Amino acid sequence: QSVLTQPPSVSGAPGQRVTISCTGSSSNIGAGYDVHWYQQLPGTAPKVLIYSNNNRPSGVPDRFSGSRSGTSASLAITGLQAEDEADYYCQSYDNSLSGYVFGAGTKVTVL
Amino acid sequence: QITLKESGPTLVKPTQTLTLTCTFSGFSLSTIGVGVGWIRQPPGKALEWLALIFWDDDKRYSPSLKSRLTISKDTSKNQVVLTMTNMDPVDTATYYCAHSTYGSQNYYFDYWGQGTLVAVSS
């Protein structure tokens, strides 16, 4: 059971906007620790999509954006495309566990 | 160009010790602020952070697995080694190593190896 809670799945039609929530607590996101997001396409290694809450690495389309507020964070995908169908994970640090934590992942399905 | 590659056995027996090696290129683990971590993923399940070693040889472990894990580095060989003792079938997973960079408040994993699938079975 992860300390970061994500919805198991979200779906949307091509072109739509979807959001994925990542809910933590006062010992991780609420303590001010960065949230990072990873995309894992089927059969491949994860790839960083957003780092430090709202920063995109070079090469990541601006359709992807991140935000953090209080004890939660969100990843938004606008203009959903078929190639966005993947699993998405949030990651942060937890000071009560003294360790790095991942969410349980959210599967995005493009209808 | 940063690359990482995991190597080790594909099959281990229960109670045995697993030793995985991460061989990397494109960076030095003696550079201030750099880390290399291990993350695993059981088939069809979520990512789980295991361990992280930093440029200054500081080491951090998952609290739930700390008693079974040891991470070490050989800077001259550009390698990081993870050992996990007392393997069990529930440890069957793809094991990834990843380059770690400090964001504004904590580390994240910006380059990943391809992963290596380790099965635990008698």
Side-chain angles (χ1 to χ4, degrees):
Chain A
Q1 188 127 0
S2 177
V3 298
L4 301 179
T5 301
Q6 297 181 235
S9 63
V10 299
S11 61
Q16 283 190 329
R17 179 179 188 269
V18 297
T19 61
I20 301 169
S21 60
C22 176
T23 303
S25 66
S26 58
S27 61
N28 42 68
I29 300 175
Y33 293 108
D34 287 345
V35 177
H36 317 288
W37 292 90
Y38 302 86
Q39 177 193 59
Q40 187 176 31
L41 297 170
T44 69
K47 161 192 156 184
V48 63
L49 204 60
I50 298 288
Y51 67 92
S52 298
N53 309 311
N54 54 16
N55 296 279
R56 281 187 311 275
S58 172
V60 172
D62 59 8
R63 303 186 292 103
F64 295 93
S65 62
S67 63
R68 183 190 73 181
S69 178
T71 58
S72 296
S74 291
L75 173 71
I77 310 174
T78 57
L80 194 63
Q81 299 182 4
E83 66 205 49
D84 299 333
E85 202 161 89
D87 293 321
Y88 294 82
Y89 294 90
C90 59
Q91 178 243 313
S92 187
Y93 180 84
D94 190 286
N95 59 26
S96 68
L97 296 174
S98 295
Y100 296 85
V101 289
F102 286 92
T106 298
K107 183 173 182 58
V108 169
T109 301
V110 181
L111 301 172
Chain B
Q1 177 193 3
I2 290 176
T3 64
L4 305 99
K5 187 170 185 179
E6 308 85 354
S7 59
T10 58
L11 178 67
V12 298
K13 290 180 169 33
T15 75
Q16 285 186 336
T17 294
L18 171 68
T19 299
L20 294 173
T21 300
C22 175
T23 303
F24 56 85
S25 63
F27 69 95
S28 171
L29 199 37
S30 59
T31 300
I32 293 174
V34 171
V36 171
W38 286 92
I39 302 100
R40 71 178 179 179
Q41 185 173 37
K45 295 190 177 181
L47 301 170
E48 178 183 19
W49 171 71
L50 300 177
L52 184 53
I53 189 165
F54 300 95
W55 82 100
D56 60 357
D57 210 35
D58 188 18
K59 299 156 189 167
R60 302 296 168 92
Y61 296 100
S62 166
S64 62
L65 293 167
K66 186 173 183 177
S67 63
R68 299 173 54 204
L69 295 173
T70 303
I71 191 170
S72 62
K73 63 182 175 72
D74 186 330
T75 305
S76 64
K77 292 184 179 178
N78 282 352
Q79 290 183 332
V80 169
V81 175
L82 180 76
T83 63
M84 181 181 290
T85 61
N86 195 24
M87 292 292 285
D88 183 272
V90 300
D91 297 313
T92 293
T94 296
Y95 287 76
Y96 297 99
C97 67
H99 175 278
S100 189
T101 294
Y102 194 74
S104 58
Q105 290 290 343
N106 60 19
Y107 278 80
Y108 66 101
F109 305 99
D110 51 354
Y111 297 91
W112 294 64
Q114 63 189 27
T116 185
L117 177 61
V118 179
V120 184
S121 174
S122 54

